Amino acid sequence: MSSHLASDTPSPWVARFLPLIPAGEVLDLACGGGRHARLLAQQGHAVLAVDRDAGALALASGPGIVTEQRDLETEGMAWPYEEGRFAGIVVTNYLHRPLFPHLFLSLAPDGLLIYETFAAGNEQFGKPSNPAFLLREGELIELAMRDDALRVIAFEDGYVEIPRPAMVQRICAIKSAGASEPARRRLA
């Protein structure tokens, strides 16, 4: 079993920012065994857990979680989720660059993006080591800053020891276009 499926412990990055997700449906993209989907559902969110691996999805199912087997990397595959649908989007240990504009559009106003994946330099610690699956230095924040509707709350780019030594980038950003007064108070 891959480490993506074996871990049931939520990412500390996701757990840290999860309370900022407003009420509503949350997309857990490339959900693996569902560690974040379960945490989100326990917090009262309706969760759409998406992965291309049917075995992973079987582990991810549970109360408040709708699972969907989908390979979003298939050539010619249209992004299936409408604009402004999700109160939050969580992505960990997954990178497919063409999806970023779709993720940003699918966030509802005041919606929160929590993203964490491997970065350049990770090849010294093992897999992934293919540059196609590693963010370049500062790439994640650059992608977020291209979207005028996103406001970065936190960003990190560097070495971590937990859950294993790795180079990662992680970001938390809110879709601020049309941000309401309650959203600004919530983050203060």
Side-chain angles (χ1 to χ4, degrees):
M1 183 177 283
S2 76
S3 62
H4 181 61
L5 294 177
S7 175
D8 200 39
T9 304
S11 156
W13 185 258
V14 173
R16 175 180 170 191
F17 292 105
L18 180 136
L20 299 180
I21 298 174
E25 184 181 24
V26 178
L27 172 64
D28 184 358
L29 182 62
C31 67
R35 63 188 174 138
H36 297 120
R38 283 187 294 282
L39 179 63
L40 289 157
Q42 289 167 2
Q43 298 300 312
H45 291 285
V47 180
L48 176 59
V50 176
D51 204 289
R52 67 181 178 185
D53 183 332
L57 287 173
L59 297 172
S61 64
I65 301 169
V66 173
T67 61
E68 185 175 287
Q69 184 178 4
R70 189 178 293 274
D71 184 352
L72 293 169
E73 296 179 28
T74 302
E75 191 171 330
M77 172 70 166
W79 178 254
Y81 310 114
E82 60 271 10
E83 187 172 332
R85 175 175 174 177
F86 299 108
I89 298 176
V90 174
V91 185
T92 61
N93 300 337
Y94 176 70
L95 177 62
H96 185 60
R97 289 173 176 91
L99 296 181
F100 278 102
H102 303 291
L103 293 172
F104 301 158
L105 281 172
S106 291
L107 273 176
D110 298 330
L112 200 72
L113 172 69
I114 304 173
Y115 203 110
E116 175 181 37
T117 197
F118 299 99
N122 194 69
E123 56 277 3
Q124 65 188 309
F125 302 109
K127 294 190 179 210
S129 58
N130 181 334
F133 304 115
L134 301 174
L135 289 162
R136 297 180 300 278
E137 183 178 338
E139 182 178 6
L140 191 55
I141 197 164
E142 288 173 17
L143 288 165
M145 297 302 287
R146 287 183 196 161
D147 190 308
D148 292 338
L150 289 180
R151 181 168 48 101
V152 175
I153 296 170
F155 172 75
E156 293 182 357
D157 184 352
Y159 173 77
V160 297
E161 290 186 355
I162 298 171
R164 66 174 177 85
M167 296 298 289
V168 301
Q169 284 184 45
R170 40 198 181 191
I171 198 163
C172 179
I174 189 170
K175 188 165 189 175
S176 58
S180 64
E181 189 61 32
R184 285 192 285 276
R185 280 196 305 269
R186 182 176 61 246
L187 295 173

